[in-house]
């Protein structure tokens, strides 16, 4: 259970942060810090078990039919990453509290920060590979929100978009990889996959799944060729960079490589793909970091380089290289986060991060200078610091991993060159900022920040020193359990010591340090003259390449849209019907659909009803060209015939739903008809013979397609209804298991809220989104001029009667008087229907609740009940007017939509508490006074959510249409001689 607490607590904290008021700014950082510390404490409590090489597990049903379970799994590697994520999260919370200004929306920052923390914990603790990918993509989404925190800045928006596209696309590749991996292994359980390495490596799918997993991991860890997103993500606030881009998010990729190391490593393909990408990234990142003028730019490219070092070690197919990679993951998180914090402090106190403008800050900021110097020395690999030890291990593996070919010399050479550049950019980072004469003309007068802001950096620097001086007593136990969880019986003996004798790795370190110092002086003049333009590579702009790729993608999309899309609705409907016709016809080619012995004679009354329905449908199609209201009424009549057909065929649920949908649809479309542009009049006699022939051909084509589509669907429906029963088919299963498994006698409702509840959940989500979209679009909608001429002419005649002014224009005589919401019956409405509908409203509400509550066992349900309630409210708007109804606190549609979604989601997830699958139904019996025993289930909560969302969505779309009329009439002048007199 402690694993579930560790995972859930950051999400709960993020929710609480988002709900706190803007005035509770001082509570945000303590809340986030306490959440992170609590998670770290729960993680530390598990170390005794982890040190005994135990694996802690938590499991709950998720999709058991497909052997997919919600599993949490903590071994040594997951424990180590959990400590890094939570411990660093607590330090970042403290740092961000003093970094963010009083004007910043801290509620949004800390909410997404904690959600990201929870997502990262989900990645490292997942015991199911599908679940891992879900949390993986959640890290991409939450990091997008954090990078775009200052969304008013163009660079933040572009950087966030680039990171989301690259890392999100990598997540899709990772999903494909783990799906193939699960199919080969026969399971999606991580523990079982980790012991299936031989089977996976010998599979024909191995190259493809390796490529997919590598694409996901390399894109997340900003490895070549996906490295371009990380420097652009530096537009985020510095606390985000210190957390995401040094210790957590960018480590997710190398975590996945380490996690699947027992399964995927040990092959030439792994060495070439993973080791090759890491080797290129190591050198490329170090080279580009040396020429950056932005402090965060230096740290971004150095992060890319160090992640390349870790990736290269993981790609060496060596157990000691794996241990070195894990060790450097720990070290890099400490010194790089400290450097990011120092950069944020410099930017915060001076107003700039430009290395060419900064100088001599050690006089004004001595503590910051000391902390940054120690962290930079660790990054450069100076002895007695943690970075030196892991870099020594890297050099040793670069020398020892020999295969008897030319690469035996290439890897050590590149390692020394990259390390020299690492020393160069680390030295330059410190010397240019903190040494030399004090800088002048800075945006702000530099000074030390509050000591509380320095505490996180102090802690990290002390860790760098402690690990560098006493590695065997500080980091060795943690490194041992993390490596052992991957290597198991292949675990080699290793020793973390400061002095291993005068050997080749030590010589390589000395050469790298001397070379780095020389590079600083050799390149100093070049940098001053050329700014941050790296020789040879400055013309290659990753941002420009990415934007060009997006441009090509948009061009291809425009080409496809141009060939398949038309602004004419008729052509779009034509394509839809043609596709439907083809799909419908496919099963009919089997030739076994016609079964005369299953047919029955048609009742004359039923035939007469269908003739009337067909006449209404044909009339609606004909009148659509000449009289839209008549076409709407005829289509509503055709819908009524359809509803009667359902009732005739013993489908009362469908009949009720169809009837309610027809009423609401007719009313909403009727409100929108007046804003449609008029049909352009055409004189058929004036058309040329060719034009008349084309029009006739088009109508003939449309008629043929309509008849074929209708006939095809009719034949398909006939086939389904006349086919012989299938004993083990879906239909008998649903009928037989509705009561035992779903707890309801109404099969249709049980299908909607239980068997196919996930579909229903998606449908109501779409309905809510559509309603909000309609409302947002119509708020900006301005009707075409031709749609307002008719109402103006009508009001012109009315104004002439009042004002006796035949010479006035329609606009001058058209008037509008705002209704008085305080009147019992607003002026201008028909009083008898208005009073009658007010009396009927509570009755209609009771009827809707009645259908809602009975839906699980009798015809009804949340959808039908919601439509009945929405219809009652629609009628109120029609008979009493918009202003009068909205002055009463009757309904807030957006609130109902939100509560409906939350209630449906709560009903879907509350079953997890009882170890049941998502959207499963829980049943219980209640004994109520004066009522008696009531049998109900959690499906009722889901149905109530559907009810609320249907009511809210329908009314919101009504408001969007009704307000168009109100805005139009409010622009008219008030009448000079009002007829609003009391009788």
């Amino acid at each position: 259970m402690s694993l579930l607490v560790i995972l859930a607590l950051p999400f709960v904290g993020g929710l609480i942060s988002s709900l706190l008021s803007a005035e509770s700014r001082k509570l945000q950082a303590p809340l986030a810090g306490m959440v992170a510390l609590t998670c770290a404490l729960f993680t530390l409590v598990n170390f005794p078990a982890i040190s005994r090489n135990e694996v802690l597990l938590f499991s709950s049903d998720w999709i058991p039919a497909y052997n997919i379970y919600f599993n949490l799994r903590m071994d040594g590697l997951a424990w180590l990453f959990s400590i890094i994520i939570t411990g660093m999260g607590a330090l970042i919370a403290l740092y961000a509290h003093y970094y963010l200004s009083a004007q910043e929306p801290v509620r949004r920052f800390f909410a997404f920060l904690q959600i990201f923390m929870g997502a990262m914990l989900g990645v490292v603790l997942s015991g199911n590979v599908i679940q891992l990918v879900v949390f993986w993509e959640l890290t991409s989404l939450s990091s997008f929100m954090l990078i775009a925190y200052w969304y008013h800045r163009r660079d933040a928006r572009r950087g966030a978009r680039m990171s989301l596209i690259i890392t999100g696309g990598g997540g899709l590749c990772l999903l494909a990889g783990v799906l193939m991996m699960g199919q080969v292994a026969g399971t999606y359980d991580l523990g079982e996959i980790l012991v299936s390495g031989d089977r996976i490596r010998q599979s024909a799918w191995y190259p493809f799944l390796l490529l997919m997993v590598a694409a996901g991991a390399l894109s997340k860890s900003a490895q070549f060729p996906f490295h371009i997103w990380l420097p652009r993500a530096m537009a985020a606030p510095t606390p985000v960079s210190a957390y995401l881009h040094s210790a957590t998010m960018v480590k997710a990729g190398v975590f996945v490589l380490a996690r699947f190391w027992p399964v995927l490593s040990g092959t030439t393909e792994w060495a070439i793909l993973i080791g090759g990408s890491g080797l290129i990234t190591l050198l490329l990142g170090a080279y580009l970091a040396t020429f950056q003028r932005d402090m965060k730019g230096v740290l971004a490219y150095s992060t890319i380089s160090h992640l390349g070092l870790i990736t290269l070690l993981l790609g060496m197919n060596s157990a000691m290289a794996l241990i070195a990679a894990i060790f450097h993951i720990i070290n890099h998180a400490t010194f790089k986060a400290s450097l990011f914090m120092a950069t944020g402090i410099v930017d915060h106190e001076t107003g700039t991060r430009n290395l060419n403008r900064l100088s001599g800050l050690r006089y004004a900021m001595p503590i910051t200078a000391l902390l940054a110097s120690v962290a930079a020395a660790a990054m450069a690999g100076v002895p007695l610091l943690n970075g030196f030890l892991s870099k020594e291990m890297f050099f040793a593996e670069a020398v020892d991993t020999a295969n008897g070919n030319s690469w035996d010399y290439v890897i050590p050479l590149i390692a020394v060159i990259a390390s020299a550049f690492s020393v160069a950019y680390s030295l330059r980072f410190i010397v240019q900022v903190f040494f030399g004469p004090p800088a002048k003309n800075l945006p702000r007068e530099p000074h030390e920040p509050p000591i509380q802001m320095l505490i996180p950096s102090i802690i990290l620097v002390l860790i760098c020193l402690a690990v560098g001086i006493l590695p065997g007593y500080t980091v060795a136990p943690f490194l041992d359990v993390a490596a052992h969880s991957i290597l198991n019986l292949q675990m080699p003996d290793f020793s973390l010591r400061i002095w291993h004798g005068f050997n080749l790795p030590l010589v390589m370190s000395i050469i790298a340090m001397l070379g780095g110092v020389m590079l600083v002086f050799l390149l100093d003049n070049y940098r001053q003259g050329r700014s941050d333009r790296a020789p040879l590579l400055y013309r290659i702009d990753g941002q420009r390449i990415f934007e060009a790729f997006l441009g090509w993608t948009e061009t291809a999309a425009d080409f496809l849209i141009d060939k398949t899309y038309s602004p004419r609705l008729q052509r779009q409907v034509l394509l839809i019907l043609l596709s439907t016709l083809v799909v419908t016809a496919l099963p009919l080619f089997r030739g076994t659909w016609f079964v005369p012995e299953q047919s029955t004679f048609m009742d004359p009354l039923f035939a007469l009803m269908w003739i009337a329905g067909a006449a209404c449908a044909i009339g609606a199609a004909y009148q659509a060209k000449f009289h839209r209201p008549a076409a709407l009424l005829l289509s509503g009549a055709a819908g009524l015939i359809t509803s009667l057909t359902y009732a005739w065929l013993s489908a009362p649920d469908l009949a009720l739903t169809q009837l309610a949908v027809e009423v609401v649809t007719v009313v909403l479309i009727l409100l929108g008809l007046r804003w449609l542009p008029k049909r352009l009049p055409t004189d058929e006699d004036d058309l040329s013979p060719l034009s008349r022939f084309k029009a006739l051909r088009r109508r003939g084509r449309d008629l043929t397609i309509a008849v074929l589509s209708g006939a095809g669907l009719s034949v398909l429906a006939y086939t389904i209804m006349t086919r012989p029963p299938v004993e083990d088919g879906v239909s008998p299963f649903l009928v037989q298991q509705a009561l035992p498994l779903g707890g309801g006698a109404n099969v249709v409702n049980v299908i909607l809220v239980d068997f196919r509840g996930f579909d229903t959940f998606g449908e109501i989500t779409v309905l809510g989104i559509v309603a909000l979209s309609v409302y947002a679009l119509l708020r900006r909608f301005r009707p075409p001029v031709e749609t307002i001429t008719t109402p103006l002419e009508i009001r012109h005649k009315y104004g002439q009667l009042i004002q006796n002014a035949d010479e006035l224009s329609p606009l001058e005589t058209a008037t509008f008087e705002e209704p008085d919401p305080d009147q019992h019956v607003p002026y201008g409405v028909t009083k008898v229907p208005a009073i009658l509908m007010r009396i009927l409203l509570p009755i209609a509400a009771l009827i809707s609740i009645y259908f809602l509550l009975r839906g699980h066992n009798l015809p009804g349900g949340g959808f039908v009940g919601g439509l009945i309630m929405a219809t009652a409210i629609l009628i109120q708007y029609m008979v009493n007017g918009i202003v009068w109804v909205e002055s009463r606190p009757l309904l807030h549609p957006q609130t109902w939509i939100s509560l409906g979604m939350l209630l449906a989601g709560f009903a879907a997830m509350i079953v997890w508490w009882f170890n049941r699958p998502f959207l499963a139904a829980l049943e219980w019996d209640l004994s109520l006074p004066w009522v008696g025993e009531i049998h109900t289930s959690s499906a009722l909560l889901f149905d109530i959510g559907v009810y609320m969302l249907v009511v809210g969505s329908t009314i919101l779309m009504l408001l969007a249409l009704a307000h168009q009329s109100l805005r139009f009439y409010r622009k008219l002048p008030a009448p000079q001689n009002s007829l609003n007199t009391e009788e």
Side-chain angles (χ1 to χ4, degrees):
M1 186 60 72
S2 65
L3 300 184
L4 187 61
V5 173
I6 293 170
L7 177 62
L9 202 56
F11 292 104
V12 175
L15 179 62
I16 295 174
S17 289
S18 65
L19 296 177
L20 290 175
S21 64
E23 289 73 24
S24 59
R25 169 188 176 84
K26 293 183 178 180
L27 298 177
Q28 294 285 356
L31 173 63
M34 287 302 299
V35 166
L37 283 176
T38 304
C39 292
L41 195 59
F42 272 95
T43 305
L44 286 171
V45 167
N46 291 320
F47 184 71
I50 297 297
S51 64
R52 295 191 297 269
N53 298 318
E54 296 180 13
V55 178
L56 306 181
L57 298 173
F58 171 84
S59 182
S60 177
D61 289 346
W62 187 11
I63 314 175
Y66 292 94
N67 294 323
I68 298 178
Y69 301 90
F70 184 83
N71 294 340
L72 298 179
R73 181 181 186 275
M74 178 181 280
D75 58 6
L77 183 66
W79 184 91
L80 176 64
F81 270 85
S82 298
I83 281 293
I84 293 174
I85 293 166
T86 55
M88 198 68 70
L91 297 178
I92 293 298
L94 175 60
Y95 177 80
H97 178 71
Y98 294 95
Y99 179 87
L100 298 173
S101 66
Q103 293 74 34
E104 303 283 1
V106 294
R107 177 172 55 181
R108 174 160 54 89
F109 177 87
F110 284 104
F112 283 116
L113 185 73
Q114 292 175 85
I115 291 172
F116 175 81
M117 185 192 306
M120 277 299 304
L121 288 170
V123 169
V124 301
L125 293 177
S126 288
N128 178 288
V129 291
I130 304 295
Q131 176 186 322
L132 185 150
V133 176
V134 172
F135 284 112
W136 179 280
E137 292 293 53
L138 185 57
T139 63
S140 296
L141 291 172
S142 52
S143 67
F144 170 82
M145 301 304 295
L146 288 170
I147 296 170
Y149 178 71
W150 288 326
Y151 58 83
H152 58 278
R153 289 170 40 179
R154 185 167 179 263
D155 60 337
R157 296 194 303 271
R158 294 177 69 180
R161 182 183 66 168
M162 180 185 289
S163 68
L164 179 64
I165 291 174
I166 294 177
T167 61
L172 295 178
C173 294
L174 180 63
L175 175 61
V178 299
L179 287 175
M180 288 187 281
M181 195 184 304
Q183 287 297 310
V184 174
T187 178
Y188 294 105
D189 182 78
L190 180 61
E192 296 182 28
I193 288 176
L194 292 179
V195 296
S196 305
D198 292 336
R199 184 193 306 177
I200 292 173
R201 285 189 292 268
Q202 294 168 9
S203 169
W205 288 100
Y206 173 74
F208 303 102
L209 68 88
L210 172 61
L211 182 63
M212 292 295 100
V213 171
L218 297 178
S219 62
K220 200 75 160 185
S221 287
Q223 296 297 283
F224 179 86
F226 309 107
H227 62 284
I228 59 175
W229 69 265
L230 186 56
R232 277 78 192 176
M234 293 299 109
T238 301
V240 174
S241 300
Y243 191 46
L244 274 65
H245 305 139
S246 66
T248 52
M249 179 180 174
V250 292
K251 297 295 196 310
V254 291
F255 167 80
V256 165
L257 294 178
R259 171 57 73 202
F260 291 116
W261 195 89
V263 180
L264 302 176
S265 68
T267 64
T268 304
E269 294 92 336
W270 170 272
I272 293 175
L273 188 58
I274 305 302
S277 177
L279 188 66
I280 295 172
T281 310
L282 168 65
L283 183 59
L284 182 65
Y287 178 73
L288 293 175
T290 309
F291 298 94
Q292 302 301 308
R293 63 178 173 182
D294 182 5
M295 293 177 70
K296 287 183 76 173
V298 174
L299 298 181
Y301 281 104
S302 69
T303 298
I304 292 172
S305 178
H306 282 267
L307 290 169
L309 186 154
I310 297 168
T311 305
L312 174 58
L313 285 168
L314 291 170
M316 285 183 176
N317 290 327
S318 164
M320 281 301 300
L322 172 68
I323 295 173
I326 298 173
F327 189 23
H328 200 67
I329 287 172
I330 302 171
N331 295 337
H332 180 261
T334 54
F335 63 67
K336 188 56 64 69
S338 179
L339 284 170
F340 268 115
M341 292 178 184
T343 299
I345 291 171
V346 170
D347 186 23
H348 193 269
E349 306 304 335
T350 66
T352 182
R353 300 194 308 258
N354 192 326
L355 289 170
N356 294 338
R357 297 185 63 184
L358 294 168
S359 178
L361 292 183
R362 74 181 188 279
Y363 300 107
M365 308 168 68
I367 301 176
T368 304
L370 177 61
L371 296 173
S373 299
V374 175
M379 181 168 65
V382 174
L384 298 183
L385 294 169
N386 58 354
F388 170 76
L389 297 176
S390 53
K391 189 168 288 188
E392 283 279 287
M393 293 180 71
F394 169 53
F395 286 152
E397 290 307 304
V399 172
D400 294 342
T401 307
N403 297 313
N405 53 40
S406 57
W407 287 99
D408 296 346
Y409 303 98
V410 172
I411 294 179
L413 178 62
I414 293 179
V416 172
I417 295 174
S419 297
F421 278 109
S422 176
V423 173
Y425 62 67
S426 301
L427 183 60
R428 175 185 171 230
F429 184 89
I430 295 302
V431 170
Q432 283 198 234
V433 174
F434 297 105
F435 292 87
K440 299 179 181 179
N441 300 322
L442 293 176
R444 302 191 192 113
E445 187 66 27
H447 57 85
E448 285 286 12
I451 188 62
Q452 296 91 332
M453 193 175 182
L454 291 168
I455 288 175
S457 186
I458 293 172
I459 294 173
L460 293 172
V461 166
L462 290 176
I463 293 174
C464 293
L465 287 166
V467 172
I469 298 171
L470 300 170
Y473 298 97
T474 53
V475 76
F478 309 134
L479 182 58
D480 181 75
V481 296
H484 195 279
S485 66
I486 302 173
L487 297 170
N488 294 318
L489 298 178
Q490 301 175 5
M491 183 73 182
D493 293 329
F494 68 94
S495 174
L496 297 181
R497 292 180 299 175
I498 302 174
W499 177 253
H500 289 273
F502 191 83
N503 52 19
L504 185 55
L506 181 60
V507 173
M508 295 169 68
S509 295
I510 296 172
I511 294 173
M513 295 187 68
L514 294 176
V517 174
M518 293 175 60
L519 277 172
V520 170
F521 292 102
L522 289 174
L523 298 176
D524 185 60
N525 293 333
Y526 176 86
R527 279 194 309 268
Q528 290 180 0
R530 297 278 184 162
S531 183
D532 57 347
R533 293 171 57 177
L536 304 177
L537 297 180
Y538 70 90
R539 294 184 182 275
I540 303 175
D541 187 353
Q543 179 79 39
R544 192 162 54 235
I545 295 172
F546 177 79
E547 297 292 346
F549 174 76
L550 288 187
W552 297 334
T553 306
E554 292 173 2
T555 301
D558 290 339
F559 175 79
L560 291 175
I561 291 174
D562 183 60
K563 298 301 180 184
T564 58
Y565 175 78
S566 170
R568 296 183 59 193
L569 181 62
Q570 187 181 35
R571 183 175 176 184
Q572 297 180 43
V573 174
L574 173 64
L575 292 173
I576 294 172
L577 287 178
L578 281 175
S579 303
T580 306
L581 180 61
V582 172
V583 173
T584 307
L586 289 177
L588 302 180
F589 288 126
R590 300 179 61 181
T592 59
W593 57 272
F594 184 64
V595 187
E597 59 271 16
Q598 296 287 341
S599 304
T600 58
F601 290 104
M602 183 176 290
D603 189 287
L605 184 60
F606 184 80
L608 183 63
M609 184 175 66
W610 263 55
I611 291 172
C616 289
I618 295 172
Y622 179 78
Q623 288 292 339
K625 179 179 178 182
F626 306 104
H627 200 285
R628 287 168 178 163
L632 177 61
L633 292 177
L634 288 170
S635 66
L640 178 61
I641 299 297
T642 304
S643 178
L644 293 174
T645 301
Y646 289 140
W648 189 288
L649 297 176
S650 302
D653 268 292
L654 296 178
L656 281 171
T657 305
Q658 179 71 26
L659 181 62
V661 167
E662 284 299 328
V663 172
V664 172
T665 303
V666 167
V667 173
L668 289 178
I669 296 179
L670 195 60
L671 288 171
L673 276 183
R674 63 163 299 173
W675 303 116
L676 293 178
K678 289 185 177 180
R679 185 179 179 89
L680 295 176
T682 57
D683 192 347
E684 297 282 346
D685 296 331
D686 295 339
L687 295 176
S688 64
L690 180 61
S691 299
R692 285 198 297 272
F693 172 75
K694 288 182 178 179
L696 185 63
R697 185 183 63 182
R698 185 183 68 251
R699 292 168 188 164
R701 177 202 65 191
D702 294 346
L703 177 62
T704 303
I705 293 174
V707 171
L708 288 176
S709 299
L713 287 174
S714 300
V715 170
L716 191 61
Y718 168 82
T719 304
I720 296 297
M721 290 188 292
T722 59
R723 69 175 182 173
V726 182
E727 294 183 3
D728 57 347
V730 176
S731 298
F733 171 82
L734 296 177
V735 173
Q736 296 167 9
Q737 301 299 325
L739 189 58
L741 296 182
N746 183 0
V747 180
V748 174
N749 186 264
V750 172
I751 291 173
L752 292 176
V753 301
D754 194 317
F755 293 143
R756 301 296 298 271
F758 199 77
D759 291 352
T760 305
F761 192 76
E763 289 162 3
I764 63 174
T765 303
V766 171
L767 178 62
I769 293 172
V770 167
L772 293 171
S773 301
V774 169
Y775 182 74
L777 289 171
L778 289 184
R779 286 182 65 188
R780 299 288 182 180
F781 173 74
R782 295 298 175 263
V785 177
E786 62 267 21
T787 62
I788 64 176
T789 54
T790 301
L792 284 176
E793 290 172 358
I794 295 173
R795 287 183 172 267
H796 173 57
K797 296 177 182 178
Y798 178 73
Q800 287 177 327
L801 293 175
I802 297 175
Q803 301 177 15
N804 297 317
D806 296 336
E807 68 280 2
L808 296 178
S809 66
L811 185 60
E812 293 172 321
T813 55
T815 59
F816 172 74
E817 183 176 3
E818 185 81 19
D820 184 4
D822 295 328
Q823 287 183 323
H824 295 296
V825 180
Y827 170 73
V829 303
T830 309
K831 291 182 173 57
V832 173
I835 299 298
L836 203 57
M837 287 303 104
R838 293 184 202 175
I839 297 173
L840 291 178
L841 179 61
I843 299 174
L846 286 175
I847 293 173
S848 73
I849 295 173
Y850 169 71
F851 276 106
L852 164 67
L853 296 178
R854 64 175 272 177
H856 213 50
N857 293 290
L858 294 170
F863 195 76
V864 173
L867 288 174
I868 293 173
M869 186 65 189
T871 303
I873 299 172
L874 281 172
I875 295 174
Q876 292 296 316
Y877 274 91
M878 293 173 65
V879 299
N880 288 296
I882 305 168
V883 176
W884 189 89
V885 174
E886 291 196 350
S887 66
R888 274 74 184 164
L890 179 66
L891 182 71
H892 297 287
Q894 293 96 327
T895 303
W896 275 57
I897 292 174
S898 303
L899 292 177
M901 281 300 303
L902 289 174
L903 190 58
F906 173 77
M909 293 184 290
I910 187 62
V911 294
W912 285 345
W913 188 264
F914 301 92
N915 204 28
R916 297 287 300 278
F918 183 73
L919 272 170
L922 293 175
E923 302 177 39
W924 59 85
D925 293 309
L926 299 177
S927 181
L928 300 178
W930 303 298
V931 177
E933 296 290 332
I934 296 179
H935 179 77
T936 185
S937 72
S938 60
L940 178 62
L941 295 177
F942 186 83
D943 230 5
I944 294 174
V946 174
Y947 175 91
M948 298 181 70
L949 193 136
V950 168
V951 174
S953 299
T954 307
I955 300 305
L956 189 62
M957 287 187 278
L958 162 74
L959 293 179
L961 291 166
H963 282 189
Q964 285 295 322
S965 301
L966 192 62
R967 278 197 294 267
F968 164 69
Y969 288 121
R970 278 175 172 167
K971 292 181 180 179
L972 300 177
Q976 298 298 321
N977 301 309
S978 176
L979 292 181
N980 185 11
T981 57
E982 297 291 337
E983 296 180 0

